[in-house]
Amino acid sequence: MSALPADGAPLPHTASTAPFEPYAVETMTPEQERVYLASQWQLMWWKFRKHKLAVISGVVILTIYAMVAICEFLAPYDYTTRNTDFIRAPRQEVHLFHQGSLVGPFVYPYTQRLNMENLKREYDVDTSRPEKLRFFCRGDAYDFWGLIPGNLHLVCPAEGGTLFLLGSDRLGRDMLSRILYGGRISLSIGLLGVFVSFVLGVIIGGIAGYYGGKVDLVVQRIIEIVQSLPHIPLWLALASIMPPSWSPLLVYFGITVILGLMDWTGLARAVRSKLLSLREEDYVVAAQLMGAKPARIIGLHLVPGFMSHLIASATITIPRTILGETALSFLGLGLRPPITSWGVMLNEAQNINVVALYPWLLYPVVPVILIILAFNFLGDGLRDAADPYR
C-alpha cells in the first residue's frame, strides 16, 4: 500500500465518471453492423453481385423474357404473315446514308429473279431507291397474349416495301418475327416444365427425407430406375403416344408435363438429403410435440430453410427443359404448326442442302445457345450465393 502524501492530502480520484457500458468491447462500427446484422438474403445478394458473369447473364435472361412477353409489338410482322414474292429471301441490311446524305434507318428493296440453271430464286439489291423504316406504326393485326386486339408495332417496312432483318423462310414468313413469337413458347415451356419438376421433387423428396427408413428406400429405388432410363428415347416414346387429333394447346401442355416428369429426380434427391439432416433439429421436434402434421412441418419449417438451394437447382434445370422441347420439336415429335417455337423452326433446317443454300434458316439456334449459356452461368452464380457463409 502506497503512503499518503506528506501534506496528508488525499490521492487524486481516478475512477471514470462515464456511464457504465458492459458491452462496450462488443460495440460494432456501422460497417460491421451492416454485415453482421444482415439477413441471409442480403448476404446472398452481396455475394451474387460479385459473380459478374452471373449478373450479366441475369440481365440477358430478363431482357429476352421481356422481349418475348411483348413480341407482338416488337415483331415487324405476324408470325403467320406470308410474303409469297419473297420466299427464302436473304436478310436486308439497315442503312443510314444514301448517296452520301443522311436518310435515316432504311433498307434497299429486293428484285427477284429465277435462275433457270439451278432453279434457285436469286435476289438483287436495288440501291436506287431506299425504303425508309417506320417506327411506332400500324401493321399486321394481332391479339396481344390472345386477349387484346391491336396492330401497333415498334418498326414496320415502308408502305409497299419489305423488312426481312433475318431473312424469310420457305413460305415467305419473316424469320425475326417467328423467332420472337417462338421464344415465348420455348421459354414458357422451360418455366412450366421446371414448375412441374419442382413440385414433384419437393413432394417426393420431402416425403423420403422426412420419414426415412423403408419409405426412403422405396423412393430412392424409384429415382434410380427413372434416372437409369435414357431420356431421349423415353421422350420420343411419351411424345409419340399423344393423339395426333389433339389441338396445339393440348400438345403444348403435354410436352410440358413430359419434360417435368423427366427432371424431378435430381431435385428430389437434393430435398431428401437436406431433410435428413434437418429433421432432427430442435424446432422440428418441437413442432412434432405440438401436434403439427408432417405436411405442415415439411412445407413451413423445413423447405423454406433451404429454399435458396432449390432456386439455384431449378435455375440449372430450366435450360435442360428448353433443350428437351427443342429436340422433340426438331425431330417432329413435339410441338407442331401452327404453333411456332425454336424447335419447330429448326425442323425446317434438317436438309443439309437447304442449309447450304439458305443458312439464315439456322438463326433460331442462336437464341437457344444464348439462353442456355445464360441460364447455366446464372445457375452457377446462384449456387455460390446460396451458401453466403462459405
Side-chain angles (χ1 to χ4, degrees), residues 76-77 81 163-168 172-178:
Y77 299 93
T81 300
L163 179 61
F164 302 125
L165 297 180
L166 296 180
S168 63
R173 297 170 298 190
D174 179 44
M175 289 291 294
L176 175 60
S177 300
R178 288 178 60 79

Side-chain angles (χ1 to χ4, degrees), residues 33-249:
E33 286 186 358
R34 179 172 176 268
V35 175
Y36 290 119
L37 301 181
S39 65
Q40 183 179 6
W41 291 103
Q42 286 179 311
L43 295 175
M44 289 174 57
W45 168 243
W46 293 338
K47 189 169 184 179
F48 177 75
R49 285 192 306 180
K50 296 180 181 179
H51 201 300
K52 300 300 182 184
L53 191 57
V55 173
I56 295 173
S57 299
V59 173
V60 170
I61 291 172
L62 291 177
T63 302
I64 293 177
Y65 271 96
M67 291 175 63
V68 300
I70 56 173
C71 62
E72 293 93 346
F73 170 69
L74 296 179
Y77 299 93
D78 185 75
Y79 73 100
T80 59
T81 300
R82 297 178 59 184
N83 299 275
T84 54
D85 293 333
F86 299 94
I87 292 176
R88 287 172 175 162
R91 67 185 186 90
Q92 294 177 285
E93 296 184 359
V94 178
H95 304 272
L96 295 176
F97 296 91
H98 175 65
Q99 296 180 353
S101 60
L102 178 63
V103 177
F106 69 90
V107 295
Y108 289 118
Y110 282 142
T111 56
Q112 181 193 162
R113 59 186 175 87
L114 182 62
N115 189 329
M116 299 305 296
E117 295 182 359
N118 55 14
L119 298 180
K120 178 185 176 183
R121 291 182 176 88
E122 296 180 351
Y123 294 89
D124 299 320
V125 180
D126 183 2
T127 58
S128 62
R129 52 187 183 93
E131 294 182 343
K132 192 171 181 179
L133 303 181
R134 297 177 294 141
F135 293 91
F136 298 98
C137 46
R138 302 294 176 177
D140 291 346
Y142 56 78
D143 290 330
F144 187 74
W145 282 86
L147 300 174
I148 306 173
N151 60 1
L152 181 65
H153 296 263
L154 175 64
V155 60
C156 301
E159 293 290 347
T162 58
L163 179 61
F164 302 125
L165 297 180
L166 296 180
S168 63
D169 64 1
R170 63 184 180 86
L171 297 178
R173 297 170 298 190
D174 179 44
M175 289 291 294
L176 175 60
S177 300
R178 288 178 60 79
I179 287 175
L180 289 173
Y181 276 92
R184 175 179 291 177
I185 300 298
S186 296
L187 296 180
S188 62
I189 277 186
L191 293 180
L192 292 177
V194 166
F195 175 77
V196 173
S197 64
F198 191 89
V199 172
L200 290 176
V202 170
I203 293 176
I204 298 176
I207 292 174
Y210 182 78
Y211 288 103
K214 294 183 179 180
V215 175
D216 181 35
L217 184 64
V218 172
V219 171
Q220 290 304 302
R221 300 295 79 77
I222 294 175
I223 290 176
E224 290 171 359
I225 292 174
V226 174
Q227 289 183 333
S228 65
L229 298 174
H231 280 198
I232 292 181
L234 187 59
W235 279 343
L236 299 179
L238 293 175
S240 62
I241 66 175
M242 288 189 296
S245 60
W246 276 13
S247 67
L249 185 62

Side-chain angles (χ1 to χ4, degrees), residues 351-369:
N351 191 331
I352 188 62
N353 294 325
V354 173
V355 174
L357 295 174
Y358 315 107
W360 54 88
L361 295 180
L362 283 177
Y363 283 161
V365 80
V366 175
V368 174
I369 296 174

